[in-house]
Amino acid sequence: MAAHSAVLSASKIMNPFWVGRLGNTAKVFGTTLIRHRNKTSLTPPPAKYGGRHTVTLIPGDGIGPELLNHVREVFRFTCVPVDFEMVNVNSALETDDDMNNAITAIRRNGVALKGNIETKHTLPASVKSRNNVLRTSLDLYANVMHCQSLPGVQTRHKNIDIMIIRENTEGEYSSLEHESVSGVVESLKIITRNNSIRIADYAFKLARERGRRRVTAVHKANIMKLGDGLFLQCCREVASGYPDITFDSMIVDNTTMQLVSKPQQFDVMVMPNLYGNVVSNVCAGLVGGPGLVPGANYGRDYAVFETATRNTGKSIAEKNIANPTAMLLASCLMLDHLNLNDYASLIRNAVLTTMNETRLHTADLGGQGTTSEVVQSVMRVIQSKGQFTAEL
Amino acid sequence: MMALILFRTFLTCPDACVFQMVQDPTQFDVLVMPNLYGDILSDLCAGLIGGLGVTPSGNIGANGVAIFESVHGTAPDIAGMDLANPTALLLSAVMMLRHMGLHDHADKIQTACFDTIRDKKVLTKDLGGSAKCSEFTAEICRRVQDLG
């Protein structure tokens, strides 16, 4: 508020030409400040021009481009006030220019929606995973995944509702490896106090925000006494500041066993990078597969949304059989982040109606539907809600 | 005669592997992997088949040196009460017999053990029954005898 009134006072003694403009800027800036203070999540909302948001779109490889086209189709149909700035990142190129363009675009827009960029295993070790470069450059330190059982999907276990918070920037994904002696490779796993406190704090804040009762830290501190030991210690320290939330810890191998036998016991889980990768894929498998679960990567200043399990889906690309649910739900998470909650709820409900009531399923769920049929069904449900929409 | 062994790599292992394991574990046959992934995946698979109470394991070294063990805990709360499920340790012993080349004996004990569990008449508490450890073992012995 101080900045707001300071600008207005300054505007009183300035040329009237500038007053209106500065006043408007102050109003927008002031509103942004207030919204930032009231918002409990960590990332500030991005800039808005003419009432429309601009979001960076990175199609990626495999099924990414087709799924993101469907997202654009649904957004266009629902008249969502979001414009996409498409940035192509080509996994075949050896230079980093396209990656730098993408990072600059996300820095400019603040928000991105992306497909997975393929990391070829045949490339030399010095070439880092582009997805990883994106996450670390933008310091998207929290990967959040919400796994919920869907009534319309047949699974062995029911009533699963787990939030997984995975540290996204360090751990086993530090890309620090060396071969000092031929045939002997050393890989460095980096765990820092700062990042561990940061992710634990994020997990507890999110748990409190969502009314969750229990946070479980997943680790292997019995073996990696210093690395995971530090992570666990940081979690315990943060937990002491949240007496209303129960904190416990579980070793990662026991965690996977418990997940496949009694997943209902878990509420919120926080863990370092690699365990997060494994646990999130286990949970995705438990609720019906990678085609269903959206994921979000949050940093202090930026947010990037994608499918939770980050699959390229090369083998099913351009066959019109991929499940669009995960990407559509990821776009809803993005709309929530942009405070376009009404649009988010509308599209989310339409997707869930198609999944649970109409039960139009793609092949990964044992159904016969194609991707476009599912998307058409989603748009029909949106139209039936009576909102102003474009032509089908 | 050369056996044809199909070799696939899961290029995004362990993440792609685990969700496929959870959704359809029957597609897998033999998996080979480094230490940490093995730790995680072996417990995951144990969870899929009923837990550590029924999972055998073996540690094989050079020159045929091997230690076979059950990987469940020491369960101090039920120690000495004739309540424990001996399946994990028994099947580990079966693995040991195979390692020693005593396949007939191994097959007999394994069949007897599986048949006892399949029959569901004499089961320890963790498997949903009310039999003691000694009763469960006696039933397996009886079946071994019947198998000749």
Side-chain angles (χ1 to χ4, degrees), chain B residues 16-46:
Chain B
C17 182
V18 291
F19 79 70
Q20 298 211 29
M21 184 70 75
V22 169
Q23 292 193 287
D24 180 22
T26 56
Q27 63 181 298
F28 295 100
D29 194 354
V30 176
L31 295 159
V32 60
M33 66 209 79
N35 209 335
L36 179 66
Y37 307 150
D39 192 5
I40 296 171
L41 269 167
S42 56
D43 271 36
L44 192 154
C45 294

PDB file of all heavy atoms in Angstrom, chain B residues 16-46:
ATOM      1  N   ALA B  16       9.130 -45.070 -15.053  1.00  0.00           N
ATOM      2  CA  ALA B  16       8.199 -45.724 -15.967  1.00  0.00           C
ATOM      3  C   ALA B  16       7.969 -47.156 -15.515  1.00  0.00           C
ATOM      4  O   ALA B  16       6.874 -47.694 -15.633  1.00  0.00           O
ATOM      5  CB  ALA B  16       8.750 -45.715 -17.385  1.00  0.00           C
ATOM      6  N   CYS B  17       9.012 -47.772 -14.981  1.00  0.00           N
ATOM      7  CA  CYS B  17       8.909 -49.157 -14.533  1.00  0.00           C
ATOM      8  C   CYS B  17       7.914 -49.274 -13.390  1.00  0.00           C
ATOM      9  O   CYS B  17       7.093 -50.181 -13.384  1.00  0.00           O
ATOM     10  CB  CYS B  17      10.288 -49.649 -14.120  1.00  0.00           C
ATOM     11  SG  CYS B  17      10.304 -51.360 -13.609  1.00  0.00           S
ATOM     12  N   VAL B  18       7.994 -48.356 -12.415  1.00  0.00           N
ATOM     13  CA  VAL B  18       7.154 -48.541 -11.227  1.00  0.00           C
ATOM     14  C   VAL B  18       5.669 -48.389 -11.526  1.00  0.00           C
ATOM     15  O   VAL B  18       4.870 -49.155 -10.984  1.00  0.00           O
ATOM     16  CB  VAL B  18       7.551 -47.653 -10.025  1.00  0.00           C
ATOM     17  CG1 VAL B  18       8.867 -48.077  -9.438  1.00  0.00           C
ATOM     18  CG2 VAL B  18       7.540 -46.205 -10.362  1.00  0.00           C
ATOM     19  N   PHE B  19       5.285 -47.436 -12.406  1.00  0.00           N
ATOM     20  CA  PHE B  19       3.834 -47.336 -12.575  1.00  0.00           C
ATOM     21  C   PHE B  19       3.318 -48.525 -13.378  1.00  0.00           C
ATOM     22  O   PHE B  19       2.196 -48.995 -13.168  1.00  0.00           O
ATOM     23  CB  PHE B  19       3.380 -45.966 -13.122  1.00  0.00           C
ATOM     24  CG  PHE B  19       3.540 -45.734 -14.605  1.00  0.00           C
ATOM     25  CD1 PHE B  19       2.733 -46.405 -15.515  1.00  0.00           C
ATOM     26  CD2 PHE B  19       4.446 -44.821 -15.083  1.00  0.00           C
ATOM     27  CE1 PHE B  19       2.864 -46.184 -16.872  1.00  0.00           C
ATOM     28  CE2 PHE B  19       4.591 -44.597 -16.430  1.00  0.00           C
ATOM     29  CZ  PHE B  19       3.799 -45.279 -17.330  1.00  0.00           C
ATOM     30  N   GLN B  20       4.154 -49.057 -14.273  1.00  0.00           N
ATOM     31  CA  GLN B  20       3.750 -50.265 -14.991  1.00  0.00           C
ATOM     32  C   GLN B  20       3.706 -51.461 -14.040  1.00  0.00           C
ATOM     33  O   GLN B  20       2.860 -52.342 -14.168  1.00  0.00           O
ATOM     34  CB  GLN B  20       4.721 -50.536 -16.129  1.00  0.00           C
ATOM     35  CG  GLN B  20       4.703 -49.404 -17.134  1.00  0.00           C
ATOM     36  CD  GLN B  20       5.000 -49.860 -18.537  1.00  0.00           C
ATOM     37  OE1 GLN B  20       4.720 -51.000 -18.900  1.00  0.00           O
ATOM     38  NE2 GLN B  20       5.564 -48.992 -19.338  1.00  0.00           N
ATOM     39  N   MET B  21       4.631 -51.476 -13.077  1.00  0.00           N
ATOM     40  CA  MET B  21       4.656 -52.545 -12.077  1.00  0.00           C
ATOM     41  C   MET B  21       3.376 -52.522 -11.255  1.00  0.00           C
ATOM     42  O   MET B  21       2.790 -53.544 -10.951  1.00  0.00           O
ATOM     43  CB  MET B  21       5.884 -52.332 -11.168  1.00  0.00           C
ATOM     44  CG  MET B  21       6.103 -53.403 -10.147  1.00  0.00           C
ATOM     45  SD  MET B  21       6.631 -54.945 -10.858  1.00  0.00           S
ATOM     46  CE  MET B  21       8.319 -54.562 -11.241  1.00  0.00           C
ATOM     47  N   VAL B  22       2.937 -51.331 -10.901  1.00  0.00           N
ATOM     48  CA  VAL B  22       1.731 -51.201 -10.085  1.00  0.00           C
ATOM     49  C   VAL B  22       0.495 -51.577 -10.893  1.00  0.00           C
ATOM     50  O   VAL B  22      -0.433 -52.200 -10.392  1.00  0.00           O
ATOM     51  CB  VAL B  22       1.623 -49.752  -9.544  1.00  0.00           C
ATOM     52  CG1 VAL B  22       0.280 -49.492  -8.920  1.00  0.00           C
ATOM     53  CG2 VAL B  22       2.706 -49.488  -8.531  1.00  0.00           C
ATOM     54  N   GLN B  23       0.478 -51.187 -12.170  1.00  0.00           N
ATOM     55  CA  GLN B  23      -0.715 -51.437 -12.972  1.00  0.00           C
ATOM     56  C   GLN B  23      -0.772 -52.869 -13.498  1.00  0.00           C
ATOM     57  O   GLN B  23      -1.840 -53.476 -13.515  1.00  0.00           O
ATOM     58  CB  GLN B  23      -0.751 -50.466 -14.154  1.00  0.00           C
ATOM     59  CG  GLN B  23      -0.990 -49.031 -13.696  1.00  0.00           C
ATOM     60  CD  GLN B  23      -1.345 -48.117 -14.845  1.00  0.00           C
ATOM     61  OE1 GLN B  23      -0.498 -47.766 -15.645  1.00  0.00           O
ATOM     62  NE2 GLN B  23      -2.593 -47.752 -14.931  1.00  0.00           N
ATOM     63  N   ASP B  24       0.335 -53.404 -13.970  1.00  0.00           N
ATOM     64  CA  ASP B  24       0.338 -54.759 -14.515  1.00  0.00           C
ATOM     65  C   ASP B  24       1.684 -55.433 -14.275  1.00  0.00           C
ATOM     66  O   ASP B  24       2.535 -55.481 -15.172  1.00  0.00           O
ATOM     67  CB  ASP B  24       0.021 -54.733 -16.020  1.00  0.00           C
ATOM     68  CG  ASP B  24       0.014 -56.139 -16.619  1.00  0.00           C
ATOM     69  OD1 ASP B  24      -0.163 -57.108 -15.840  1.00  0.00           O
ATOM     70  OD2 ASP B  24       0.197 -56.274 -17.840  1.00  0.00           O
ATOM     71  N   PRO B  25       1.905 -55.964 -13.054  1.00  0.00           N
ATOM     72  CA  PRO B  25       3.203 -56.570 -12.754  1.00  0.00           C
ATOM     73  C   PRO B  25       3.470 -57.851 -13.532  1.00  0.00           C
ATOM     74  O   PRO B  25       4.619 -58.284 -13.644  1.00  0.00           O
ATOM     75  CB  PRO B  25       3.124 -56.856 -11.249  1.00  0.00           C
ATOM     76  CG  PRO B  25       1.692 -56.817 -10.901  1.00  0.00           C
ATOM     77  CD  PRO B  25       1.010 -55.961 -11.890  1.00  0.00           C
ATOM     78  N   THR B  26       2.418 -58.459 -14.121  1.00  0.00           N
ATOM     79  CA  THR B  26       2.607 -59.736 -14.817  1.00  0.00           C
ATOM     80  C   THR B  26       3.437 -59.581 -16.093  1.00  0.00           C
ATOM     81  O   THR B  26       3.922 -60.566 -16.649  1.00  0.00           O
ATOM     82  CB  THR B  26       1.247 -60.370 -15.189  1.00  0.00           C
ATOM     83  OG1 THR B  26       0.513 -59.424 -15.976  1.00  0.00           O
ATOM     84  CG2 THR B  26       0.445 -60.703 -13.942  1.00  0.00           C
ATOM     85  N   GLN B  27       3.618 -58.347 -16.555  1.00  0.00           N
ATOM     86  CA  GLN B  27       4.399 -58.159 -17.782  1.00  0.00           C
ATOM     87  C   GLN B  27       5.896 -58.336 -17.525  1.00  0.00           C
ATOM     88  O   GLN B  27       6.678 -58.440 -18.459  1.00  0.00           O
ATOM     89  CB  GLN B  27       4.148 -56.759 -18.361  1.00  0.00           C
ATOM     90  CG  GLN B  27       4.592 -55.640 -17.450  1.00  0.00           C
ATOM     91  CD  GLN B  27       4.317 -54.260 -18.043  1.00  0.00           C
ATOM     92  OE1 GLN B  27       4.852 -53.908 -19.081  1.00  0.00           O
ATOM     93  NE2 GLN B  27       3.499 -53.473 -17.362  1.00  0.00           N
ATOM     94  N   PHE B  28       6.293 -58.374 -16.252  1.00  0.00           N
ATOM     95  CA  PHE B  28       7.706 -58.465 -15.920  1.00  0.00           C
ATOM     96  C   PHE B  28       8.119 -59.889 -15.604  1.00  0.00           C
ATOM     97  O   PHE B  28       7.343 -60.685 -15.099  1.00  0.00           O
ATOM     98  CB  PHE B  28       8.043 -57.553 -14.728  1.00  0.00           C
ATOM     99  CG  PHE B  28       7.848 -56.105 -15.036  1.00  0.00           C
ATOM    100  CD1 PHE B  28       6.706 -55.447 -14.612  1.00  0.00           C
ATOM    101  CD2 PHE B  28       8.792 -55.398 -15.762  1.00  0.00           C
ATOM    102  CE1 PHE B  28       6.504 -54.105 -14.901  1.00  0.00           C
ATOM    103  CE2 PHE B  28       8.603 -54.064 -16.051  1.00  0.00           C
ATOM    104  CZ  PHE B  28       7.460 -53.416 -15.629  1.00  0.00           C
ATOM    105  N   ASP B  29       9.353 -60.212 -15.897  1.00  0.00           N
ATOM    106  CA  ASP B  29       9.873 -61.556 -15.663  1.00  0.00           C
ATOM    107  C   ASP B  29      11.096 -61.455 -14.736  1.00  0.00           C
ATOM    108  O   ASP B  29      11.033 -61.725 -13.557  1.00  0.00           O
ATOM    109  CB  ASP B  29      10.218 -62.192 -17.013  1.00  0.00           C
ATOM    110  CG  ASP B  29      10.435 -63.674 -16.910  1.00  0.00           C
ATOM    111  OD1 ASP B  29      10.426 -64.210 -15.786  1.00  0.00           O
ATOM    112  OD2 ASP B  29      10.620 -64.331 -17.944  1.00  0.00           O
ATOM    113  N   VAL B  30      12.219 -61.073 -15.299  1.00  0.00           N
ATOM    114  CA  VAL B  30      13.407 -60.874 -14.479  1.00  0.00           C
ATOM    115  C   VAL B  30      13.828 -59.417 -14.620  1.00  0.00           C
ATOM    116  O   VAL B  30      13.841 -58.874 -15.712  1.00  0.00           O
ATOM    117  CB  VAL B  30      14.565 -61.789 -14.963  1.00  0.00           C
ATOM    118  CG1 VAL B  30      15.837 -61.519 -14.172  1.00  0.00           C
ATOM    119  CG2 VAL B  30      14.170 -63.253 -14.840  1.00  0.00           C
ATOM    120  N   LEU B  31      14.149 -58.782 -13.507  1.00  0.00           N
ATOM    121  CA  LEU B  31      14.591 -57.385 -13.551  1.00  0.00           C
ATOM    122  C   LEU B  31      15.988 -57.293 -12.957  1.00  0.00           C
ATOM    123  O   LEU B  31      16.259 -57.916 -11.928  1.00  0.00           O
ATOM    124  CB  LEU B  31      13.638 -56.516 -12.725  1.00  0.00           C
ATOM    125  CG  LEU B  31      12.204 -56.413 -13.237  1.00  0.00           C
ATOM    126  CD1 LEU B  31      11.268 -55.982 -12.133  1.00  0.00           C
ATOM    127  CD2 LEU B  31      12.108 -55.420 -14.373  1.00  0.00           C
ATOM    128  N   VAL B  32      16.856 -56.527 -13.589  1.00  0.00           N
ATOM    129  CA  VAL B  32      18.201 -56.321 -13.045  1.00  0.00           C
ATOM    130  C   VAL B  32      18.431 -54.816 -12.914  1.00  0.00           C
ATOM    131  O   VAL B  32      18.053 -54.037 -13.786  1.00  0.00           O
ATOM    132  CB  VAL B  32      19.280 -56.998 -13.924  1.00  0.00           C
ATOM    133  CG1 VAL B  32      19.278 -56.446 -15.346  1.00  0.00           C
ATOM    134  CG2 VAL B  32      20.667 -56.833 -13.319  1.00  0.00           C
ATOM    135  N   MET B  33      19.014 -54.411 -11.809  1.00  0.00           N
ATOM    136  CA  MET B  33      19.151 -52.965 -11.571  1.00  0.00           C
ATOM    137  C   MET B  33      20.184 -52.683 -10.494  1.00  0.00           C
ATOM    138  O   MET B  33      20.559 -53.594  -9.748  1.00  0.00           O
ATOM    139  CB  MET B  33      17.807 -52.395 -11.118  1.00  0.00           C
ATOM    140  CG  MET B  33      17.375 -52.939  -9.768  1.00  0.00           C
ATOM    141  SD  MET B  33      15.601 -52.991  -9.560  1.00  0.00           S
ATOM    142  CE  MET B  33      15.192 -54.444 -10.476  1.00  0.00           C
ATOM    143  N   PRO B  34      20.639 -51.443 -10.395  1.00  0.00           N
ATOM    144  CA  PRO B  34      21.588 -51.095  -9.333  1.00  0.00           C
ATOM    145  C   PRO B  34      20.944 -51.138  -7.946  1.00  0.00           C
ATOM    146  O   PRO B  34      19.734 -51.323  -7.815  1.00  0.00           O
ATOM    147  CB  PRO B  34      22.004 -49.661  -9.673  1.00  0.00           C
ATOM    148  CG  PRO B  34      21.572 -49.421 -11.063  1.00  0.00           C
ATOM    149  CD  PRO B  34      20.388 -50.280 -11.290  1.00  0.00           C
ATOM    150  N   ASN B  35      21.768 -50.920  -6.948  1.00  0.00           N
ATOM    151  CA  ASN B  35      21.415 -51.149  -5.557  1.00  0.00           C
ATOM    152  C   ASN B  35      20.172 -50.426  -5.052  1.00  0.00           C
ATOM    153  O   ASN B  35      19.217 -51.043  -4.563  1.00  0.00           O
ATOM    154  CB  ASN B  35      22.644 -50.762  -4.706  1.00  0.00           C
ATOM    155  CG  ASN B  35      22.725 -51.548  -3.417  1.00  0.00           C
ATOM    156  OD1 ASN B  35      21.726 -52.028  -2.894  1.00  0.00           O
ATOM    157  ND2 ASN B  35      23.939 -51.695  -2.895  1.00  0.00           N
ATOM    158  N   LEU B  36      20.135 -49.117  -5.180  1.00  0.00           N
ATOM    159  CA  LEU B  36      19.032 -48.338  -4.598  1.00  0.00           C
ATOM    160  C   LEU B  36      17.698 -48.682  -5.258  1.00  0.00           C
ATOM    161  O   LEU B  36      16.688 -48.903  -4.573  1.00  0.00           O
ATOM    162  CB  LEU B  36      19.306 -46.832  -4.722  1.00  0.00           C
ATOM    163  CG  LEU B  36      18.206 -45.924  -4.161  1.00  0.00           C
ATOM    164  CD1 LEU B  36      18.073 -46.058  -2.645  1.00  0.00           C
ATOM    165  CD2 LEU B  36      18.471 -44.458  -4.510  1.00  0.00           C
ATOM    166  N   TYR B  37      17.712 -48.767  -6.595  1.00  0.00           N
ATOM    167  CA  TYR B  37      16.458 -49.102  -7.294  1.00  0.00           C
ATOM    168  C   TYR B  37      15.999 -50.487  -6.882  1.00  0.00           C
ATOM    169  O   TYR B  37      14.797 -50.759  -6.731  1.00  0.00           O
ATOM    170  CB  TYR B  37      16.638 -49.040  -8.812  1.00  0.00           C
ATOM    171  CG  TYR B  37      17.216 -47.751  -9.336  1.00  0.00           C
ATOM    172  CD1 TYR B  37      17.980 -47.724 -10.491  1.00  0.00           C
ATOM    173  CD2 TYR B  37      17.001 -46.542  -8.681  1.00  0.00           C
ATOM    174  CE1 TYR B  37      18.517 -46.557 -10.979  1.00  0.00           C
ATOM    175  CE2 TYR B  37      17.543 -45.365  -9.153  1.00  0.00           C
ATOM    176  CZ  TYR B  37      18.304 -45.379 -10.308  1.00  0.00           C
ATOM    177  OH  TYR B  37      18.844 -44.215 -10.790  1.00  0.00           O
ATOM    178  N   GLY B  38      16.966 -51.390  -6.693  1.00  0.00           N
ATOM    179  CA  GLY B  38      16.634 -52.746  -6.259  1.00  0.00           C
ATOM    180  C   GLY B  38      15.976 -52.743  -4.899  1.00  0.00           C
ATOM    181  O   GLY B  38      15.005 -53.462  -4.658  1.00  0.00           O
ATOM    182  N   ASP B  39      16.496 -51.939  -3.998  1.00  0.00           N
ATOM    183  CA  ASP B  39      15.937 -51.810  -2.656  1.00  0.00           C
ATOM    184  C   ASP B  39      14.478 -51.371  -2.754  1.00  0.00           C
ATOM    185  O   ASP B  39      13.582 -51.988  -2.170  1.00  0.00           O
ATOM    186  CB  ASP B  39      16.766 -50.749  -1.902  1.00  0.00           C
ATOM    187  CG  ASP B  39      16.471 -50.729  -0.421  1.00  0.00           C
ATOM    188  OD1 ASP B  39      15.699 -51.588   0.054  1.00  0.00           O
ATOM    189  OD2 ASP B  39      17.008 -49.849   0.272  1.00  0.00           O
ATOM    190  N   ILE B  40      14.245 -50.336  -3.530  1.00  0.00           N
ATOM    191  CA  ILE B  40      12.891 -49.786  -3.646  1.00  0.00           C
ATOM    192  C   ILE B  40      11.970 -50.777  -4.354  1.00  0.00           C
ATOM    193  O   ILE B  40      10.878 -51.103  -3.870  1.00  0.00           O
ATOM    194  CB  ILE B  40      12.921 -48.437  -4.399  1.00  0.00           C
ATOM    195  CG1 ILE B  40      13.720 -47.399  -3.592  1.00  0.00           C
ATOM    196  CG2 ILE B  40      11.521 -47.932  -4.665  1.00  0.00           C
ATOM    197  CD1 ILE B  40      14.004 -46.104  -4.338  1.00  0.00           C
ATOM    198  N   LEU B  41      12.401 -51.273  -5.509  1.00  0.00           N
ATOM    199  CA  LEU B  41      11.536 -52.149  -6.306  1.00  0.00           C
ATOM    200  C   LEU B  41      11.255 -53.477  -5.613  1.00  0.00           C
ATOM    201  O   LEU B  41      10.158 -54.022  -5.731  1.00  0.00           O
ATOM    202  CB  LEU B  41      12.146 -52.398  -7.681  1.00  0.00           C
ATOM    203  CG  LEU B  41      11.701 -51.411  -8.744  1.00  0.00           C
ATOM    204  CD1 LEU B  41      12.571 -51.517  -9.969  1.00  0.00           C
ATOM    205  CD2 LEU B  41      10.257 -51.653  -9.130  1.00  0.00           C
ATOM    206  N   SER B  42      12.238 -54.008  -4.888  1.00  0.00           N
ATOM    207  CA  SER B  42      12.007 -55.308  -4.251  1.00  0.00           C
ATOM    208  C   SER B  42      10.950 -55.179  -3.163  1.00  0.00           C
ATOM    209  O   SER B  42      10.084 -56.051  -3.022  1.00  0.00           O
ATOM    210  CB  SER B  42      13.298 -55.898  -3.693  1.00  0.00           C
ATOM    211  OG  SER B  42      13.896 -55.006  -2.793  1.00  0.00           O
ATOM    212  N   ASP B  43      10.980 -54.090  -2.416  1.00  0.00           N
ATOM    213  CA  ASP B  43       9.937 -53.880  -1.407  1.00  0.00           C
ATOM    214  C   ASP B  43       8.588 -53.612  -2.049  1.00  0.00           C
ATOM    215  O   ASP B  43       7.545 -54.059  -1.560  1.00  0.00           O
ATOM    216  CB  ASP B  43      10.323 -52.725  -0.482  1.00  0.00           C
ATOM    217  CG  ASP B  43      11.125 -53.225   0.706  1.00  0.00           C
ATOM    218  OD1 ASP B  43      11.921 -54.168   0.522  1.00  0.00           O
ATOM    219  OD2 ASP B  43      10.948 -52.695   1.812  1.00  0.00           O
ATOM    220  N   LEU B  44       8.602 -52.883  -3.174  1.00  0.00           N
ATOM    221  CA  LEU B  44       7.356 -52.612  -3.885  1.00  0.00           C
ATOM    222  C   LEU B  44       6.727 -53.930  -4.330  1.00  0.00           C
ATOM    223  O   LEU B  44       5.532 -54.180  -4.124  1.00  0.00           O
ATOM    224  CB  LEU B  44       7.634 -51.704  -5.094  1.00  0.00           C
ATOM    225  CG  LEU B  44       6.434 -51.080  -5.796  1.00  0.00           C
ATOM    226  CD1 LEU B  44       6.843 -49.794  -6.472  1.00  0.00           C
ATOM    227  CD2 LEU B  44       5.850 -52.006  -6.828  1.00  0.00           C
ATOM    228  N   CYS B  45       7.536 -54.787  -4.931  1.00  0.00           N
ATOM    229  CA  CYS B  45       7.023 -56.069  -5.405  1.00  0.00           C
ATOM    230  C   CYS B  45       6.587 -56.953  -4.246  1.00  0.00           C
ATOM    231  O   CYS B  45       5.592 -57.682  -4.357  1.00  0.00           O
ATOM    232  CB  CYS B  45       8.071 -56.779  -6.256  1.00  0.00           C
ATOM    233  SG  CYS B  45       8.393 -55.895  -7.771  1.00  0.00           S
ATOM    234  N   ALA B  46       7.327 -56.906  -3.130  1.00  0.00           N
ATOM    235  CA  ALA B  46       6.914 -57.674  -1.950  1.00  0.00           C
ATOM    236  C   ALA B  46       5.526 -57.232  -1.512  1.00  0.00           C
ATOM    237  O   ALA B  46       4.677 -58.054  -1.165  1.00  0.00           O
ATOM    238  CB  ALA B  46       7.911 -57.478  -0.817  1.00  0.00           C
TER     239      ALA B  46
END
